[in-house]
Amino acid sequence: MRKWIFLWVAVLLVYSGHTQMNIQGQVLTETGKPLSGVTIALVHVLKKNIIAFTITNDTGLFILQFNKPIEPDSLQIKVSASGYGSLSTGMQSLPEKIIFRLVPASIQLPEVIVKAGKPAIRYKADTLTYAVDSFVQRQDRTIGDVLRRLPGIEVDRNGRISFNGQPISHFYIDGDDVLADKYNIATNSVGADMVKDVQVLENHQPVRVLNNVAFSDKVALNLNLKSKARLKLTARIETGGGYADKGIYDANANLMVFKKKYKSIHSLKANNSGVDIARDVLSHNLNDILKNIQNHIPAEMLNLNYPRNPSLEQQRMLFNTSAMVNANQLIKTSKDIQLRFNIHQLSDKQAQSYLSNTYFYLPANDTVAYLQQQETVSRISSSQFKFTATSNKSRFYYNHSTTAEFSRQPAHSVTTLNQQISDQRLLQRATNLSNEFNGLVATPSKNILEIYSYFNYLQKPERLTVLPGIVPAIFNAGMPYKTLQQEVTIPSFFTHQSLTYRRPSKKFLQTYKTGFTRQWQVMKSAVSVLQMNNELNTISDSFMNQIQWRHQQIYFDADYDYLGTRVKVTLSIPVSFQHIRYTRASGANRLYDLNQLVSSPSISLKYSTGLESYLLANYRFGNDIGSLQDVYDGYVVQNFNRLTRNSIPSSITSLHSANLTFNYRKSIKLFFLSTSAKYSSGRNNNIGNTQFGSQLQLIEVIPYLQRTRNLSLSASLSKYLFPLKTTVLIKSSIQQNEWDQMQNGIADRFVNSASNFSVTITPKVSQKINVSYSGNYINSFSKPKEQKKVLQSVSQMWHTTELSFFPSANWQLKIRGEDYFIRQQQTGQSGHFFFADLSVLYKMDKMKTDISLEILNLANVRQYKMNTVSANSLHQTAVLLRPRMVLLKALFNL
Amino acid sequence: MKLLLSFFFNLSTCFVIAQDHAVIEVHYNFSHQRDTTQRDKMYRENMVLRIGADKSLYFSNDKAEADSLRRVMIENAIKKGMAEGSSNISIDLRGTKQAQGHEIYREFTAHPGKATVITKFNAVHYFIEDETGKINWEIKEEIKEIKGLLCQQAIGNFRGRTYEAWFCNDLSFATGPWKLSGLPGLIVEASDSKKEVVFALHKIENITDRNLPVRQPVKGIHTSLKDFEKMRKGYLDGLMAGTAANDDPDVSVSMKRTAPPASEKEKAGLFNNPLELLKN
């Protein structure tokens, strides 16, 4: 800074008379422009008072007159102008005309001046509060639109909200968890004008008994509503109609009440315009919740061999006919008990049409290619009922919830694979019932007892029918047949009971937990063929499974938390005795018993480097004994192209994982930074060997010592720029995975690597124009571990730009452009896709109605092609896209 | 990374200066003995001086609040009237505070001796240029602390009153409340020698982050005080004669107040002790 300041002090004092003194001079900018209105003051250095002053005129000139001082040594000439750095000089040997050059500088304010009453963001005791009014833009309709733009907050394509890199665990509306993790409906329905503040609750502890006792690193989000939104019922009805290649409709009705004692969100939605309404009931933390319960739900076993989903906005490729009723109610009784009902019924039909080519590059220039063309129609009708009763008091807590889910998903596809046509029909049904109880009580000696109980019953029968009869050589002794049918079901019962004792002291918390889990499963699967004479034969034993499975564990877990002012340490040492016993109806090893002592210790250390920054280090050594789905040995026809079976008695996996996270923020400057490094290294006692046949792939899991290694580095930076009124989000990540792959009996070690860079910015250009831009670059490659040469690499780039224009208070014009570019380096193949959308909105304030006209996919792009690479395989997918669509909508706010 | 960090911080602060956004807001409790025949009645109002690097705007906080409240009340009343099908709309404005309508805008470095009084009359903004000139302040040695700020005393005459002002050199904005300015620092407090006019400091807020502009309304008529008074008098005379009728004859709006608005009395010159005792 010093270098910039060119201050000449070369000097003279002019005496006029005996007592009056005069200092003349000029104040200029560093570029030599005269500065007017600058204060020149004669200051007493010790007393700090001003003896005389003058102000520069239009040409920057000044004459400072004053009485001859008694002690000139203690006086200074101080030049100051707001927006510039101030200068001081002594009185000794001043020139005749003194010239001051001022350099622009930020305005320094005395520390006593407090921040304004309501800044955009406030931070106090683990709560970060964003004033919505400071961030909302004119085109925003729902709070979800605003959330996307808040610095430090990120919303992904599925609607999942993260704060500084960490996904939120709870979503509250005025402090109440109305939606039980399925919060997309709120972000898509609650109006931006209904919310006063968005609060991020760090170190969030939802159970009041555990407040100030147990350390929590969870993050929750709360919408603090405006009082007018609490008073009355809010209804929004949106209906629209239009045309694409057929008639299009889109209708939504939302009814919301947010009173203190009663909150509800009801919605009724139906459309065939490509909007995936099933997302409204997406449970974002389901995996974590199940993992906590230790309930390993069996995965679906059969499928229609779908290709990978392109990274494209869903509405561009979803051919749907969907309808959903969703009701969420929360009632508070007089005794502080919350009763909550979450019910939804979904009916959805989706059609897909795509080409998918998969190439496996095997050793010795052997290439296996699957060229597939498929048309699929899948339907789903599902309903879920959830009832929860909660009492959350400072000394006592209980939570009881009962869930029932039923679904039925028939799907039909017509596929041409390597010029062979087949017709597949898949029917998947599910019944899922569960009951959970959790109770905590604080004893008079401040210790805490917790009891937990969970029961789950799950049945998911699946049936796949393939027509015509494929590969008669395998399935029907070479004789042609009509259809092949695979049936599989794994009814499953699981229970988990536990008792926890917590003993807090000032800085130290001891937690002892003991409990047991028990899982009963029966797997039944069979393949049958329908002969030409309509006779149904079940194929012999090797295509059948009948396994009774029991997995139980008794565990004891000792956790120690140290809560210092700067350091938080959590050490967890769970030890469990696991017993697995299963019996097969046929084949070798009919009875299998496994007893094992398993421990998965973990340690976590959090060090606060400052008030708003911390360093977090985790280490965990996990051990896992697989499930029934890892040990069935009869073949299962997963789809018309794939057979699977296992030839191992049990799957044992161990994994070391270590994370290091650094989180920094400066709330007042709206600056957020999160960086993390993750490393994991694992061992597995088995591997899936893929054997490529001309019409079938056979995947057999065999004993093998498999090692995996993953490394990922990521950084994300978010800053609000005041002059542009925008949040800038910059993200970058590098990920590298190393694993073994076995094909045709030959094991190879591969490295996959992906790097990603993205920028998002949403500036407010003027009162009339808002712009948003996001750019994304991904490069991924794969190569054999031993080789230097990259086998496959693909780069993708996409840019999304949205321009909102407001010619007057009632009109709004929005133009959106999306540009996708994909290039595969080795073949030089590339694809370039550009999508444009347009919408015009007119607000009729008097009628509280908005009318909008939307045109999606203006350029009528009908196909999107994408390449992905993994190990030695390349997947090319081409998806059929929705045609140009014109939609006229009316939104009524009642 | 450090470089990137500093880049972001610098970017934000530099822009703030360049676009001349408001830096601080000074809240004054203004009181005025308008009528010496009623010594027990003081007119009080909460005023705000919003300051940027070289501009300031002085306005009534009460008015801003009252305006928004009144707007809501009028809208509701009109809606209610519409809903009931009644063309007679009655608005109860009792309880809403009366406040000064005008604002004072200054470019205190470019035009130190000039203030622009912004007043809205008949839905049009008028910019009345007021040559306040240079107040011949006499700097005193006395220093005192006001809300943690070191302030120095100055005495000066302005339009018939002798003001005692306290300015803060650490806040190098050469401006102050109302038309008072021209000291080597912000005028934090001021009062006339009879304590009939007092500007007392309530609080100072750093509003850098709020990104508010300091500027006068874009549209308006530039005029002198003389011409403005002439126009206003002419208009008021016309109003009495009934030339300015309601635009919509079908809707009549009546407003209830507890007392005749204070401004009426002011317009009629019924106060004997105005702020400015002399024209210059």
Side-chain angles (χ1 to χ4, degrees), chain B residues 228-243:
Chain B
F228 176 75
E229 287 299 341
K230 217 197 242 169
M231 182 277 303
R232 190 166 79 162
K233 190 169 180 296
Y235 186 87
L236 288 175
D237 290 349
L239 186 73
M240 307 297 177
T243 49

Side-chain angles (χ1 to χ4, degrees), chain A residues 38-57:
Chain A
V38 179
T39 302
I40 318 292
L42 196 63
V43 185
H44 194 284
V45 182
L46 298 174
K47 291 186 193 162
K48 303 253 180 214
N49 64 338
I50 291 170
I51 288 156
F53 80 98
T54 186
I55 290 173
T56 58
N57 67 10

Side-chain angles (χ1 to χ4, degrees), chain A residues 139-291:
Chain A
Q139 73 272 27
D140 293 341
R141 295 172 81 170
T142 64
I143 192 64
D145 297 333
V146 185
L147 281 173
R148 259 166 252 274
R149 216 177 301 110
L150 295 183
I153 288 182
E154 211 190 321
V155 184
D156 74 5
R157 275 193 173 169
N158 288 325
R160 181 171 214 183
I161 302 170
S162 301
F163 172 70
N164 216 2
Q166 190 184 354
I168 61 161
S169 66
H170 291 79
F171 184 96
Y172 297 105
I173 298 171
D174 266 347
D176 289 322
D177 184 3
V178 185
L179 296 163
D181 203 33
K182 294 170 182 170
Y183 55 75
N184 282 3
I185 176 138
T187 49
N188 294 333
S189 310
V190 175
D193 55 347
M194 291 167 71
V195 185
K196 189 164 152 262
D197 300 311
V198 171
Q199 294 181 314
V200 173
L201 315 169
E202 287 183 283
N203 300 326
H204 176 63
Q205 178 52 262
V207 178
R208 282 177 63 195
V209 181
L210 296 175
N211 259 352
N212 304 320
V213 174
F215 166 66
S216 160
D217 55 3
K218 285 181 181 144
V219 174
L221 194 109
N222 180 35
L223 302 183
N224 208 351
L225 299 182
K226 287 182 181 164
S227 40
K228 66 165 192 184
R230 291 179 189 143
L231 290 176
K232 55 170 189 142
L233 178 141
T234 310
R236 278 166 188 256
I237 297 170
E238 195 176 5
T239 59
Y243 189 79
D245 48 352
K246 57 175 179 177
I248 299 291
Y249 63 89
D250 191 341
N252 297 324
N254 285 306
L255 211 70
M256 292 174 274
V257 179
F258 299 113
K259 297 195 171 171
K260 205 173 173 204
K261 297 264 174 192
Y262 175 76
K263 291 187 172 65
S264 71
I265 300 181
H266 291 103
S267 87
L268 194 68
K269 296 188 178 184
N271 76 78
N272 65 353
S273 63
V275 179
D276 186 10
I277 50 181
R279 272 193 204 179
D280 272 3
V281 289
L282 200 67
S283 179
H284 293 287
N285 291 299
L286 184 66
N287 282 342
D288 289 348
I289 294 166
L290 289 173
K291 207 169 150 190

Side-chain angles (χ1 to χ4, degrees), chain A residues 36 50 78 82 114 671 722-723, chain B residues 5 15 53 109 152 169 184 206 211:
Chain A
S36 67
I50 291 170
K78 189 177 167 196
S82 52
V114 290
F671 178 89
F722 288 95
Chain B
L5 284 180
F15 269 95
T109 61
Q152 193 174 348
N169 184 238
N206 176 355
N211 218 8

Side-chain angles (χ1 to χ4, degrees), chain A residues 282-312:
Chain A
L282 200 67
S283 179
H284 293 287
N285 291 299
L286 184 66
N287 282 342
D288 289 348
I289 294 166
L290 289 173
K291 207 169 150 190
N292 251 345
I293 301 171
Q294 302 185 27
N295 189 9
H296 300 277
I297 283 182
E300 277 82 17
M301 296 198 63
L302 311 183
N303 59 51
L304 291 180
N305 198 19
Y306 288 118
R308 277 148 209 255
N309 242 350
S311 50
L312 192 67

Side-chain angles (χ1 to χ4, degrees), chain A residues 474-493:
Chain A
I474 296 176
F475 296 105
N476 202 28
M479 301 283 287
Y481 63 101
K482 267 188 179 166
T483 61
L484 177 125
Q485 184 173 296
Q486 167 76 60
E487 277 182 290
V488 58
T489 173
I490 310 179
S492 171
F493 182 78

Side-chain angles (χ1 to χ4, degrees), chain B residues 27 41 63 102 106 166 199-200 204-205 229-230 241 271:
Chain B
H27 292 244
K41 279 189 186 162
K63 182 171 189 302
H102 62 260
R106 276 197 110 97
W166 293 87
F199 301 91
I204 303 185
E205 287 183 335
E229 287 299 341
K230 217 197 242 169
F271 295 130

